[in-house]
Amino acid sequence: MINKKYNEFLPSMQSAEDLVSQVDSLSGNIDLLKSRIENEVRQDLNVAIAEFTELKQQLERDSLVLSVLKQLQEVRKEAGKMASDRKVFLYFVPLTSSWVSIVNK
């Protein structure tokens, strides 16, 4: 009787052991996949942060240049207005980077 019960139990025990082995293997594969995904995400995040930092710095530089250009435009408008009021001609001399005024008599 014990032999009969053992013979009935043995196949289900072997199936359970096979399932445990498959679960262990699958669990290992999942852990490996999780690790690979985390590494890829970490690398992509580092690249994105570096690109963002570079773009932010470029934006700051471009904003500064734009601000300076706007100020120069305002100065030029004011100088032009002053020149037309006084009948003075202003010329920008590129070599000396300065304004030269000539009074129109």
Side-chain angles (χ1 to χ4, degrees):
M1 170 124 171
I2 292 178
N3 252 353
K4 182 179 177 189
K5 294 272 184 181
Y6 177 76
N7 287 337
E8 290 174 1
F9 173 73
L10 189 59
S12 65
M13 184 173 159
Q14 288 173 341
S15 293
E17 287 174 348
D18 289 344
L19 283 174
V20 167
S21 175
Q22 289 176 359
V23 167
D24 288 343
S25 175
L26 186 58
S27 179
N29 289 341
I30 289 172
D31 289 342
L32 183 61
L33 183 59
K34 178 183 172 187
S35 176
R36 286 181 182 172
I37 290 171
E38 286 175 350
N39 286 337
E40 277 190 43
V41 168
R42 194 171 291 118
Q43 288 173 353
D44 290 348
L45 182 60
N46 289 337
V47 168
I49 288 171
E51 288 177 357
F52 174 77
T53 302
E54 182 181 333
L55 289 171
K56 182 179 176 187
Q57 290 171 349
Q58 184 178 354
L59 176 62
E60 289 171 355
R61 284 190 307 266
D62 291 349
S63 295
L64 180 63
V65 168
L66 183 60
S67 175
V68 169
L69 289 174
K70 284 181 180 180
Q71 290 175 358
L72 286 173
Q73 183 181 26
E74 287 299 316
V75 167
R76 187 171 186 193
K77 281 182 188 177
E78 288 298 319
K81 185 177 176 186
M82 289 172 52
S84 67
D85 290 347
R86 293 190 210 158
K87 297 190 179 191
V88 173
F89 299 98
L90 294 175
Y91 298 97
F92 185 71
V93 181
L95 296 176
T96 62
S97 301
S98 61
W99 289 95
V100 176
S101 64
I102 300 172
V103 177
N104 187 12
K105 295 185 180 183

